[in-house]
């Protein structure tokens, strides 16, 4: 029997209607599922994927983990606020660019819940890096603060370019490929109470393209990195001025602080004050290398560096004042072309090879320093130029001219060299200088107790000694005792194999920062 076309049309219409009805129901179900999934993500604090331009203020809360899948750009006049406890994961090669404001404060009241910026690694075997936090053209009127944050596994953790008024405090910046913090052509950046470690370079400060970098403050930080802990570079015709490195612990890099000059002069003083600069050099480098002019180096402790301070060409009109140089391989080296520099009121104690090598006599002042060599040490001060130099008014731990002559290498040892005149001499240690550490501290086991002994200090303003023991880290001991004015001390409850140190203290009532200010000696 033949079936009409109208029948088939009607049949197809019925089937199409039913299919459409099914599609609508499926769409409703899927929409409901999508809504429930999104709601569940929000309720349970699931990942939120971010990237692109941030055009309006936004707050990231601790209920979520934020994953940066594309470069995130915080636009001008926009503020991104990150609350305590937030974890930000960044995909490979991506970064957060700040043109406006980033406020990431990981502290509420007395509670600290650090904000973490980490690479979005999917397994422990991955070691790729993300770009970092990049500040570009941030203005002084905008608020930018990183506080109680940790940043790791970036190419450069924080990169600040042509920006102003940025504060980084209580941050842990570690295991980044190149730099912990890079600052270029910027002003008024404060880096304080930060731990910057295990990066290739710690902090880099640069001025370039006839621009200025100024008022960068690095204070109360702990820096332990591979190559440079702090690197400053003034490129040709640019200005690097009024920057301060103070009250930091700077340890264990190829170079503690490297101050380089690509040409031209500065227009203000950069200062390095009250720092502990120790164990830098790795057999070839420096605690501090200077190739800038007008640097003030004051009240620092240089301990166990390969070279404490090296003056290169363009190191002009610097002042090294009231520093303590203790157990460095070489303490101070002045290279040819480093003119008009002064070293005054410093204390040099049992440095291994030389205390000072003078390779430039033009305007070089070496006066009112206290020098404490090993008992049989010779040639601690050398004149490596053909010019004569007078370095009177220093204390040599002896008043015997023949003994002092053995401590000097000059024309009398090599006719090609200039003569060093060392009279008049100080007959007593200058008490305005840092007090010296006790020499030749010995520990012995006597009746199963640790007995300490040392020769007395020569300074007239000596008030006594302190004994330290226990864990020693970041130039601190866990325990200390007042030892009085005696030069022997019995220390019960301590192993002969433990780390033990003695310091000398003067009559000053100053307590805060006693060691770097010179009122208490370095650890002997």
């Amino acid at each position: 029997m033949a079936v009409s076309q109208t029948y088939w049309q009607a049949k197809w219409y019925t089937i199409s209607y039913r299919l459409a009805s099914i599609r609508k129901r499926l769409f409703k179900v899927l929409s409901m599922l999508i809504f429930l999934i999104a709601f569940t993500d929000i309720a349970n604090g699931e990942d939120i994927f971010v990237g692109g331009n941030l055009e309006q203020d936004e707050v990231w809360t601790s209920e979520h983990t934020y994953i940066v899948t594309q470069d995130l750009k915080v636009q001008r006049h926009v503020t991104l606020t990150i609350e305590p406890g937030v974890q930000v994961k960044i995909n490979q090669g991506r970064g957060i660019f700040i043109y406006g404001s980033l406020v990431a404060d990981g502290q509420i009241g007395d509670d600290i819940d650090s904000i973490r910026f980490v690479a979005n690694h999917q397994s422990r075997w991955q070691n790729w890096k993300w770009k970092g936090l990049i500040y570009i053209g941030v203005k002084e009127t905008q608020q930018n603060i990183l506080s109680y944050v940790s940043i790791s596994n970036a190419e450069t953790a924080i990169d600040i370019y042509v920006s102003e008024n940025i504060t980084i405090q209580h941050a842990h910046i570690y295991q980044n490929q190149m730099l912990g913090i890079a600052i270029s052509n910027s002003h008024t950046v404060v880096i304080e109470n930060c731990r910057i470690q295990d990066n290739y370079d710690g902090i880099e400060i640069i001025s370039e393209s006839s621009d200025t970098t100024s008022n960068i403050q690095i204070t109360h930080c702990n820096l332990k990195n591979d190559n440079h802990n702090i690197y400053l570079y003034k490129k040709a015709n640019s200005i690097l001025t009024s920057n301060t490195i103070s009250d930091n612990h700077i340890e264990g890099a190829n170079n503690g602080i490297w101050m380089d000059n690509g040409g031209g002069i500065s227009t203000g003083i950069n200062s390095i004050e009250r720092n502990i600069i120790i164990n830098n050099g790795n057999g070839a480098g420096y605690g501090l290398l200077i190739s800038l002019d007008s640097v003030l180096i004051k009240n620092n402790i240089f301990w166990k560096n390969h070279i404490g301070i090296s003056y290169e060409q363009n190191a002009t009109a610097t002042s090294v004042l009231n520093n303590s140089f203790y157990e460095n391989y070489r303490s101070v080296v002045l290279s040819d072309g480093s003119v008009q520099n002064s070293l005054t009121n410093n204390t040099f104690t049992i440095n291994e090879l030389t205390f000072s090598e003078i390779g430039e006599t033009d305007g070089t002042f070496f006066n009112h320093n206290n020098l404490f060599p090993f008992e049989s040490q010779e040639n601690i001060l050398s004149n490596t130029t053909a010019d004569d130099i007078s370095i009177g008014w220093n204390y040599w731990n002896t008043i015997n001219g023949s003994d002092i002559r053995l401590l000097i290498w000059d024309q009398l040892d090599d006719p090609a060299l200039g003569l060093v005149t060392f009279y008049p001499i100080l007959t007593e240690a200058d008490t305005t200088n840092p007090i010296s550490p006790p020499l030749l501290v010995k520990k012995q086991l006597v009746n199963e107790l640790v007995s300490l002994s040392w020769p007395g200090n020569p300074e007239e303003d000596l008030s006594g000694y302190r004994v330290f023991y226990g864990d020693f880290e970041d130039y601190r001991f866990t325990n200390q005792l007042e030892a009085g004015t005696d030069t022997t001390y019995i220390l019960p409850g301590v192993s002969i194999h433990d780390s033990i140190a003695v310091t000398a203290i003067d009559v000053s009532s100053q307590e805060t920062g006693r060691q770097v200010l010179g009122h208490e000696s370095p650890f002997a």
Side-chain angles (χ1 to χ4, degrees):
M1 180 180 66
V3 180
S4 68
Q5 185 177 5
T6 302
Y7 170 82
W8 289 111
Q9 287 175 340
K11 194 73 174 176
W12 175 248
Y13 176 81
T14 301
I15 293 170
S16 299
Y17 176 80
R18 289 177 178 175
L19 288 172
S21 178
I22 291 170
R23 282 198 299 269
K24 287 181 180 179
R25 291 175 183 175
L26 285 173
F27 179 78
K28 289 181 179 179
V29 171
L30 288 172
S31 297
M32 181 61 69
L33 286 173
I34 291 170
F35 172 78
L36 289 173
I37 290 170
F39 179 81
T40 302
D41 285 350
I42 293 171
N44 293 338
E46 299 293 338
D47 296 344
I48 294 180
F49 298 93
V50 295
N53 294 326
L54 188 63
E55 303 283 358
Q56 60 185 9
D57 293 353
E58 189 165 307
V59 179
W60 292 0
T61 61
S62 60
E63 290 83 5
H64 311 289
T65 296
Y66 295 82
I67 299 178
V68 180
T69 58
Q70 298 293 328
D71 287 343
L72 178 67
K73 299 178 181 180
V74 181
Q75 297 299 317
R76 301 193 191 283
H77 311 298
V78 173
T79 298
L80 171 60
T81 301
I82 303 179
E83 293 187 344
V86 170
Q87 180 169 247
V88 183
K89 295 182 177 181
I90 304 94
N91 282 357
Q92 183 174 6
R94 305 305 182 188
I96 300 176
F97 293 78
I98 302 100
Y99 304 91
S101 297
L102 172 61
V103 178
D105 188 352
Q107 183 177 31
I108 296 180
D110 295 329
D111 296 326
I112 298 169
D113 195 349
S114 180
I115 296 165
R116 297 180 62 212
F117 295 88
V118 299
N120 189 27
H121 291 156
Q122 300 303 305
S123 76
R124 62 178 180 174
W125 308 111
Q126 292 182 316
N127 60 4
W128 51 258
K129 308 298 180 183
W130 57 288
K131 284 181 184 174
L133 306 178
I134 300 104
Y135 294 81
I136 302 175
V138 170
K139 300 301 181 184
E140 186 176 0
T141 54
Q142 298 166 312
Q143 183 183 22
N144 273 283
I145 183 168
L146 293 170
S147 181
Y148 292 100
V149 304
S150 67
I151 307 172
S152 62
N153 283 305
E155 294 170 9
T156 292
I158 303 171
D159 196 344
I160 300 170
Y161 182 71
V162 194
S163 294
E164 302 174 347
N165 195 35
I166 296 171
T167 298
I168 305 164
Q169 59 187 12
H170 302 286
H172 186 196
I173 300 170
Y174 65 101
Q175 294 179 358
N176 296 285
Q177 183 176 15
M178 294 303 298
L179 286 156
I181 302 174
I183 302 170
S184 179
N185 295 354
S186 297
H187 313 278
T188 318
V189 177
V190 176
I191 305 167
E192 60 182 354
N193 293 299
C194 294
R195 191 171 187 90
I196 304 171
Q197 64 185 67
D198 301 325
N199 310 286
Y200 182 67
D201 283 351
I203 301 174
E204 177 183 86
I205 303 170
I206 293 178
S207 61
E208 57 187 346
S209 304
S210 301
D211 211 328
T212 300
T213 295
S214 66
N215 294 312
I216 312 300
Q217 299 179 43
I218 305 170
T219 180
H220 294 100
C221 293
N222 189 308
L223 296 106
K224 296 179 182 179
N225 299 279
D226 297 334
N227 187 38
H228 302 303
N229 271 318
I230 302 175
Y231 176 70
L232 299 94
Y233 182 36
K234 187 186 84 65
K235 294 188 177 180
N237 302 315
S238 64
I239 297 174
L240 188 65
T241 184
S242 303
N243 303 294
T244 302
I245 301 170
S246 65
D247 301 287
N248 301 288
H249 178 96
I250 301 169
E251 180 178 359
N254 289 332
N255 302 291
I257 305 173
W258 185 295
M259 309 181 77
D260 208 350
N261 191 343
I265 61 172
S266 300
T267 59
I269 294 176
N270 296 289
S271 63
I272 300 171
E273 300 185 58
R274 302 182 304 279
N275 300 283
I276 306 291
I277 303 173
I278 65 174
N279 286 317
N280 299 284
N282 195 25
Y286 313 93
L288 168 62
L289 182 140
I290 314 171
S291 188
L292 288 176
D293 64 285
S294 307
V295 181
L296 174 63
I297 303 152
K298 183 178 180 182
N299 290 128
N300 303 280
I301 292 177
F302 292 87
W303 181 51
K304 289 192 173 181
N305 302 283
H306 178 252
I307 297 177
I309 301 178
S310 179
Y311 293 75
E312 302 300 308
Q313 287 190 352
N314 298 317
T316 305
T318 70
S319 177
V320 177
L321 177 67
N322 282 106
N323 300 278
S324 183
F325 296 88
Y326 178 50
E327 289 187 331
N328 301 282
Y329 183 68
R330 299 156 76 188
S331 283
V332 175
V333 177
L334 287 92
S335 300
D336 180 28
S338 56
V339 301
Q340 304 297 319
N341 297 296
S342 67
L343 293 101
T344 57
N345 295 108
N346 303 286
T347 297
F348 296 82
T349 311
I350 57 174
N351 295 282
E352 187 172 342
L353 184 62
T354 57
F355 288 26
S356 182
E357 299 173 35
I358 299 173
E360 177 60 67
T361 60
D362 183 4
T364 298
F365 291 90
F366 188 89
N367 309 104
H368 287 274
N369 299 290
N370 294 337
L371 294 87
F372 297 92
F374 288 114
E375 185 174 344
S376 59
Q377 198 167 12
E378 297 182 358
N379 303 328
I380 65 170
L381 187 145
S382 61
N383 179 10
T384 62
T385 76
D387 301 314
D388 296 343
I389 185 170
S390 175
I391 56 166
W393 302 109
N394 293 294
Y395 177 72
W396 299 83
N397 205 26
T398 179
I399 60 173
N400 186 301
S402 298
D403 291 340
I404 296 174
R405 175 50 63 189
L406 291 174
L407 299 174
I408 295 172
W409 182 269
D410 65 354
Q411 189 180 85
L412 299 182
D413 303 284
D414 182 346
L417 302 178
L419 185 69
V420 174
T421 302
F422 57 84
Y423 283 106
I425 63 172
L426 296 179
T427 58
E428 295 177 349
D430 193 326
T431 56
T432 61
N433 298 8
I435 191 168
S436 62
L439 295 174
L440 304 175
V441 177
K442 297 179 180 179
K443 60 180 179 179
Q444 297 172 294
L445 199 59
V446 178
N447 296 325
E448 298 184 355
L449 295 175
V450 173
S451 175
L452 307 175
S453 62
W454 58 91
N457 274 54
E459 290 92 348
E460 288 190 345
D461 62 343
L462 175 79
S463 69
Y465 302 95
R466 285 183 177 141
V467 173
F468 295 79
Y469 64 98
D471 293 334
F472 179 63
E473 186 177 5
D474 296 340
Y475 208 71
R476 293 185 179 92
F477 280 91
T478 52
N479 302 295
Q480 73 176 53
L481 297 167
E482 300 295 330
T485 57
D486 290 339
T487 57
T488 59
Y489 194 84
I490 302 296
L491 191 59
V494 174
S495 168
I496 191 69
H497 304 292
D498 289 348
S499 294
I500 302 170
V502 179
T503 62
I505 54 178
D506 67 15
V507 295
S508 170
S509 60
Q510 176 79 35
E511 282 299 329
T512 303
R514 286 183 62 86
Q515 280 188 297
V516 289
L517 293 175
H519 301 303
E520 181 171 8
S521 75
F523 296 117

